[in-house]
């Protein structure tokens, strides 16, 4: 993040390298320079949090369009309503939970660049969200383990989470993603270590939500390698946690983080609205670009 852009934001870091609160910025009225600074800060700090915002569905979509190219709400799940096909509603009343560590939509060839999440209905207590810094996690691996991870490829499969939804709730016809209607969820391969296209930094790019196995090793080896990487990724020193309040908006770089939403609020209602920015195809340390 360059100094001129940083100077337009009041940024309070949540840790030495990861996560920050942006204070005093109204996302609905921010000018182009301020949003350019926000866009740069997302890459630098990986997860940003804004309080006291007054965005509605139209405002959230408009903000997303100023920051990048919006995707459909989700490859399988339709938008919150016909007027807002870009908004994915995570509604606890409709099984809208995200209580597994995951990186958004890695089961597609081009996962989203980033996400913007807005609190709509919050439980009286609970429902926090945590983010893990995949680049910090990679950097803190022992060198021999980093060298192993650099060489590996993993399969990501959306059928475990969304195959039934696509078949039963959408009648086999999902959203338009990358210009095509999603009618099936074919597993895809991504490098275990992703090189960030803007910074060149390496980060772990596997997650328990969608990664099924490592290519070219036995099932037992795959399970143990992934368990090791998951445990390391989610060590406390790699994590920040956000306690939501109405008016909060979170943005994160989907290329360098994983996240987890606590399901600790019983039968209380929780609704979050998410939009995602179109991303690129992940590449690894030895991948052709």
């Amino acid at each position: 993040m360059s100094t001129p852009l940083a100077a337009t934001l009041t940024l309070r870091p949540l840790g030495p390298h990861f996560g920050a609160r942006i204070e005093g910025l109204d996302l609905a009225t921010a000018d182009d320079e301020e949003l350019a600074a926000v866009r740069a800060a997302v890459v630098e700090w990986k997860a940003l949090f804004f309080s006291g915002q007054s965005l509605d569905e139209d405002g959230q979509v408009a903000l997303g369009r100023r920051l990048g190219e919006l995707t459909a709400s989700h490859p399988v799940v339709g938008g919150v309503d016909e007027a807002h096909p870009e908004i994915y509603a995570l509604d606890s009343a409709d099984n809208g939970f995200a209580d597994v560590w995951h990186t958004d939509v890695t089961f597609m060839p081009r996962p989203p660049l980033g996400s913007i999440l807005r609190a709509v209905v919050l439980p009286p207590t609970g429902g926090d969200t945590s983010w893990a810094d995949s680049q910090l996690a990679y950097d803190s691996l022992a060198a021999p383990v980093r060298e192993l991870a650099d060489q590996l490829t993993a399969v990501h499969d959306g059928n475990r989470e969304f195959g039934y939804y696509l078949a039963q709730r959408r009648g086999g016809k999902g959203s338009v993603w990358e210009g095509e209607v999603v009618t099936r969820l074919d597993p895809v391969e991504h490098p275990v270590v992703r090189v960030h296209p803007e910074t060149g930094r390496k980060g772990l790019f596997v997650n328990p939500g969608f990664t099924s196995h490592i290519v070219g090793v036995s099932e037992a080896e795959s399970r143990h390698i992934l368990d090791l990487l998951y445990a390391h990724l989610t060590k406390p020193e790699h994590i920040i946690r956000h306690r939501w309040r109405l008016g909060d908006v979170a943005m994160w770089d989907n290329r360098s983080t994983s996240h987890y939403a606590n399901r600790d609020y019983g039968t209380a209602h929780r609704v979050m609205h998410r939009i995602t920015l179109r991303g690129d195809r992940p590449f690894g340390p030895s991948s052709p670009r």
Side-chain angles (χ1 to χ4, degrees), residues 173-185:
K173 185 177 180 181
S175 304
V176 176
W177 194 270
E178 296 296 328
E180 297 183 359
V181 176
V182 175
T183 57
R184 63 185 189 181
L185 297 174

Side-chain angles (χ1 to χ4, degrees), residues 95-275:
N95 202 37
F97 304 105
D99 55 333
V100 61
W101 281 102
H102 66 285
T103 299
D104 288 334
V105 197
T106 62
F107 54 87
M108 299 300 285
R110 293 170 63 113
L113 176 155
S115 300
I116 303 172
L117 187 66
R118 179 172 64 94
V120 178
V121 177
L122 293 175
T125 59
D128 297 359
T129 305
S130 296
W131 282 263
D133 183 339
S134 63
Q135 294 175 345
L136 181 60
Y138 173 85
D139 291 343
S140 62
L141 284 169
V145 182
R146 289 200 304 269
E147 292 171 8
L148 171 63
D150 283 346
Q151 304 172 50
L152 299 175
T153 299
V155 173
H156 296 243
D157 190 346
N159 284 290
R160 293 182 300 176
E161 293 292 329
F162 294 108
Y164 178 85
Y165 192 102
L166 176 62
Q168 301 299 321
R169 297 280 295 270
R170 299 297 302 274
K173 185 177 180 181
S175 304
V176 176
W177 194 270
E178 296 296 328
E180 297 183 359
V181 176
V182 175
T183 57
R184 63 185 189 181
L185 297 174
D186 294 327
V188 298
E189 294 185 359
H190 295 309
V192 166
V193 174
R194 181 174 189 174
V195 178
H196 197 286
E198 296 185 54
T199 67
R201 290 191 62 188
K202 296 179 181 179
L204 296 177
F205 199 64
V206 290
N207 67 90
F210 302 124
T211 305
S212 60
H213 62 280
I214 303 292
V215 175
V217 302
S218 71
E219 180 180 351
E221 290 168 328
S222 173
R223 184 171 62 253
H224 288 303
I225 291 170
L226 288 174
D227 284 348
L228 181 155
L229 296 178
Y230 296 155
H232 185 76
L233 174 65
T234 56
K235 289 174 68 174
E237 54 264 44
H238 302 149
I239 291 174
I240 56 172
R241 177 167 170 162
H242 181 66
R243 179 161 295 174
W244 291 95
R245 294 183 178 180
L246 290 178
D248 284 355
V249 171
M251 298 183 191
W252 64 93
D253 191 328
N254 201 54
R255 302 163 295 184
S256 55
T257 60
S258 291
H259 55 282
Y260 180 105
N262 285 10
R263 188 176 175 179
D264 56 352
Y265 44 90
T267 59
H269 197 197
R270 182 180 187 269
V271 180
M272 313 294 284
H273 282 182
R274 190 198 75 191
I275 58 175

Side-chain angles (χ1 to χ4, degrees), residues 40-56:
V42 169
V43 174
E44 177 71 18
W45 292 95
K46 305 179 184 70
L48 301 180
F49 304 94
F50 307 79
S51 61
Q53 304 299 311
S54 58
L55 295 176
D56 58 9

